[in-house]
Amino acid sequence: MTSTLDRAAPAARAPRVRRGLAPVPFLAPGMFFLIVFMAIPVGLLAFYSFFKRGRFGGVVFEFTLDNWVKLFEPLYLGVIGQSIVVAFVVTVLALLLGYPMAYAIAGLSPKWRTVALVAIVLPFWTNFLIRTYAWILLLNNAGWVNQWLQGLGIIDDPIAMLYTPQAIVVGLLYMYLPLMVLPLYASLQQLDPSLREAATNLGATPWRTFRTVTLPLSLPGALTGCIFVFVPAMSNFVIPELIGGGKTIMVGNLVRDQFFEARDWPFGATLALVLTILLVVVIVVQSAVSRRLTEGSRRG
Amino acid sequence: MVDVQNPPTTAMREADPASAPRAVRKARSILVPLWLGYAFLYLPILVVVIMSFNDSENLFVWRGFSLRWYPELFADEKIMQGLANTLVVAAGATAIATVLGTLLAYGIQKYTRGGLIRAFAIAPAILPDLLLGIGLLTFFSLLSLTLGLHSAILAHAVFATAFVTAIVLARMASIDQSLEEASRDLGAGPVRTFMRVTLPQLAPGIVAGALLAFTLSIDEFVIAFFTTAPTQPTLPIVIYSMVRFGVTPEVNALASILLLVSIVTVIAAQRLTRLTGTTK
């Protein structure tokens, strides 16, 4: 062991990567922990997805492809499709609402910028169940929104807002909007102001400067924000249940039900894997697109 | 908020006096979506806080000011037990995650070139918590491990480790490499260099990571939902069942207190990072 270290010693100064047993005390404990409590559990789900369910929950070790075939039943395809649509709508709305917010914050003075950012993050640090519950207070038939609308004479009878798909969209949008604003702000803030000045000096109108300079350069941040919103929105099962009334079922609800109600763990595992595969695909596409975007802007 | 518009407008006035009034109008109008966004973000929270002072069993009708829900909250054994469970889980998970995450971040930065180990260490932060939750449930049941606070601690430590690793890695990038080289040239081994030279420099990052791990763990619902025994619920699980099976106005008081705690924590963390930021 000493010989390897001795041999490594002279080379150690120049390159940053050093060999031998030196990394072991640093990397081994964490890697061991993550292998046992992340890789193995997730691997176990993949394994279980090829077996039969036990009569009272659990797994019978008889190989089958039934779980994967079952996914293509219209009922389950429908749920997966519905989840994608809901998460997509939430993401688009978050982008439309979050972009102007991030743009406005990036234009503030440094002092107010910090305040504005903390104000964006603060709701995010309050318990998400409580934030979901707040929407029950607002959207209920006897809730505040209906009271206001009636008080202003806009409507006569309360509108059923809670327990609708729209309520789910609002709840998810509310929950994940800060995750859109932050990466957008980061990319807008990094933007070299001289580029905008150059555009202005060359006679571009503010709108044209925005369209041809600011917007393209902020696209990587927008993409990151979209991922940050889309991924958790897709797998959330609490909001659809609490303010969606469980009527619109999303993949997350289905997975939860397979584990706690239907007691079909292998199919629940399969659904969770499909969800994850979908999300990984989305993330891979996003990073490929964003790499192309940054390369393109560097070349152009 | 007047300050907000002042710097850009004065700058523009110098550059082009004629366009100043237009610039002022523009600067204000650009803030409109921001205020709307804040209204959206804060209205629900405001409603909850106001209703926590409502002297009525009815959640939707204001019957005058009262503090009655606050003492009732503290008298509620289920909530207090949930709070105690949450703190135990968060403390345990933070302790594990801080040690493992710090070591991992150091090891990754110093000894690995490719991003594979890094990606693996950060993965739990990106994986859907649903997948991690049911994976761990399945795993614990395979081992015939009874669920309880211990299983929740292990489960929370997984994602908390990822966050600590990420934050300490970010800090690693900004510390002075030459100090470590000096320590090595003076004959200190890697472990000793780490303890005496690197660790003190990493301390702000480690504290920030631990703080984040702790707050995330306190709030974590989905993973706890799958890995805690129903008899030992954490606070988010207690809140979930309260909201699910008929809300009591106590939830409003609880929400207000948690909100206050969050505000204090965020401001403290902000101060902390600003203080440590100046040492760079």
Side-chain angles (χ1 to χ4, degrees):
Chain A
M1 200 200 102
T2 39
S3 63
T4 44
L5 282 180
D6 285 346
R7 250 185 285 129
R13 254 174 242 171
R16 292 178 72 191
V17 179
R18 298 170 73 229
R19 311 223 167 267
L21 290 172
V24 171
F26 299 108
L27 292 175
M31 291 305 282
F32 176 77
F33 183 77
L34 291 178
I35 287 168
V36 172
F37 292 106
M38 179 185 71
I40 292 179
V42 171
L44 197 63
L45 290 178
F47 184 70
Y48 274 18
S49 74
F50 292 103
F51 290 98
K52 287 193 167 147
R53 61 174 290 199
R55 186 168 295 184
F56 305 105
V59 181
V60 176
F61 290 98
E62 244 176 87
F63 179 84
T64 175
L65 287 174
D66 285 357
N67 299 309
W68 291 92
V69 174
K70 204 172 165 186
L71 284 173
F72 293 95
E73 288 177 18
L75 174 67
Y76 301 115
L77 275 185
V79 171
I80 294 169
Q82 204 168 10
S83 304
I84 294 175
V85 170
V86 169
F88 181 77
V89 170
V90 170
T91 307
V92 170
L93 289 176
L95 186 61
L96 292 178
L97 187 58
Y99 198 101
M101 290 175 79
Y103 189 82
I105 295 174
L108 295 175
S109 68
K111 184 185 145 202
W112 284 109
R113 227 184 266 171
T114 313
V115 175
L117 282 174
V118 170
I120 292 282
V121 177
L122 205 53
F124 205 70
W125 285 113
T126 56
N127 187 286
F128 104 97
L129 287 156
I130 284 177
R131 283 181 290 146
T132 306
Y133 152 76
W135 283 99
I136 298 181
L137 286 187
L138 281 169
L139 297 180
N140 196 288
N141 277 355
W144 286 43
V145 174
N146 270 316
Q147 285 183 29
W148 288 328
L149 290 177
Q150 283 172 300
L152 292 171
I154 296 171
I155 53 169
D156 294 326
D157 298 311
I159 304 172
M161 285 180 271
L162 201 60
Y163 310 131
T164 60
Q166 289 88 331
I168 299 177
V169 169
V170 171
L172 289 171
L173 175 65
Y174 180 70
M175 207 58 61
Y176 301 123
L177 180 64
L179 292 181
M180 176 65 84
V181 177
L182 294 180
L184 269 174
Y185 161 77
S187 71
L188 285 168
Q189 194 253 327
Q190 273 170 15
L191 234 162
D192 189 350
S194 60
L195 291 175
R196 256 179 289 184
E197 274 165 40
T200 313
N201 290 343
L202 290 168
T205 59
W207 169 242
R208 184 152 180 201
T209 306
F210 174 78
R211 222 183 49 214
T212 54
V213 179
T214 312
L215 191 63
L217 287 174
S218 65
L219 278 184
L223 271 172
T224 309
C226 288
I227 290 296
F228 281 3
V229 173
F230 186 86
V231 168
M234 181 89 190
S235 61
N236 190 303
F237 66 86
V238 179
I239 291 172
E241 182 186 332
L242 293 182
I243 59 181
K247 268 187 286 176
T248 307
I249 301 177
M250 307 223 342
V251 188
N253 301 70
L254 211 50
V255 173
R256 200 269 320 266
D257 292 347
Q258 295 304 314
F259 269 80
F260 285 139
E261 275 150 45
R263 300 216 145 256
D264 191 345
W265 288 22
F267 186 55
T270 313
L271 281 166
L273 289 168
V274 168
L275 177 68
T276 311
I277 293 166
L278 273 174
L279 297 178
V280 168
V281 168
V282 170
I283 292 171
V284 167
V285 169
Q286 178 263 344
S287 62
V289 171
S290 113
R291 203 173 307 128
R292 181 162 297 181
L293 280 175
T294 40
E295 272 169 19
S297 67
R298 223 174 278 145
R299 253 186 254 127
Chain B
M1 278 325 266
V2 187
D3 282 20
V4 184
Q5 286 113 27
N6 270 344
T9 43
T10 45
M12 280 172 193
R13 204 169 287 148
E14 274 159 23
D16 184 4
S19 72
R22 212 176 56 123
V24 173
R25 247 183 292 130
K26 211 183 71 194
R28 286 220 179 108
S29 65
I30 218 168
L31 291 176
V32 170
L34 192 58
W35 287 117
L36 288 176
Y38 284 138
F40 178 58
L41 287 176
Y42 282 92
L43 179 73
I45 291 173
L46 199 68
V47 168
V48 171
V49 173
I50 292 172
M51 291 316 263
S52 78
F53 299 113
N54 185 15
D55 185 31
S56 164
E57 306 270 338
N58 188 322
L59 282 164
F60 306 104
V61 183
W62 177 259
R63 261 298 136 70
F65 181 86
S66 160
L67 287 173
R68 60 186 278 209
W69 300 114
Y70 285 86
E72 282 195 30
L73 176 70
F74 288 103
D76 190 321
E77 266 176 44
K78 241 191 236 162
I79 291 176
M80 289 300 117
Q81 191 54 50
L83 178 65
N85 290 341
T86 294
L87 292 176
V88 169
V89 171
T94 304
I96 297 173
T98 308
V99 173
L100 295 182
T102 304
L103 291 174
L104 266 178
Y106 184 81
I108 288 168
Q109 174 82 7
K110 281 284 154 191
Y111 301 110
T112 68
R113 192 181 278 136
L116 208 63
I117 291 183
R118 179 193 287 249
F120 185 75
I122 311 274
I126 303 154
L127 274 181
D129 40 11
L130 184 68
L131 187 82
L132 207 55
I134 63 168
L136 283 161
L137 170 63
T138 313
F139 180 59
F140 290 148
S141 114
L142 184 75
L143 297 181
S144 309
L145 184 90
T146 331
L147 296 183
L149 296 185
H150 54 281
S151 53
I153 290 175
L154 289 171
H156 281 199
V158 175
F159 73 83
T161 300
F163 282 101
V164 174
T165 308
I167 290 188
V168 176
L169 265 175
R171 176 81 194 170
M172 281 286 301
S174 69
I175 68 172
D176 190 352
Q177 302 281 333
S178 58
L179 288 174
E180 286 196 353
E181 278 165 35
S183 159
R184 246 178 274 134
D185 289 347
L186 291 168
V191 175
R192 188 160 173 182
T193 303
F194 177 75
M195 296 301 287
R196 292 286 185 81
V197 178
T198 319
L199 208 53
Q201 281 181 282
L202 286 182
I206 296 170
V207 171
L211 210 61
L212 182 69
F214 191 76
T215 20
L216 287 176
S217 175
I218 282 183
D219 254 6
E220 165 58 39
F221 169 72
V222 175
I223 291 173
F225 183 68
F226 289 105
T227 57
T228 321
T231 48
Q232 280 172 299
T234 58
L235 193 57
I237 295 174
V238 175
I239 298 170
Y240 171 74
S241 44
M242 284 171 91
V243 175
R244 201 174 171 209
F245 305 108
V247 187
T248 71
E250 276 173 23
V251 175
N252 293 325
L254 179 62
S256 307
I257 291 176
L258 289 180
L259 179 69
L260 189 69
V261 172
S262 310
I263 293 174
V264 172
T265 315
V266 170
I267 291 172
Q270 189 75 26
R271 285 276 154 84
L272 196 72
T273 45
R274 203 180 299 153
L275 283 178
T276 55
T278 52
T279 58
K280 263 185 216 166

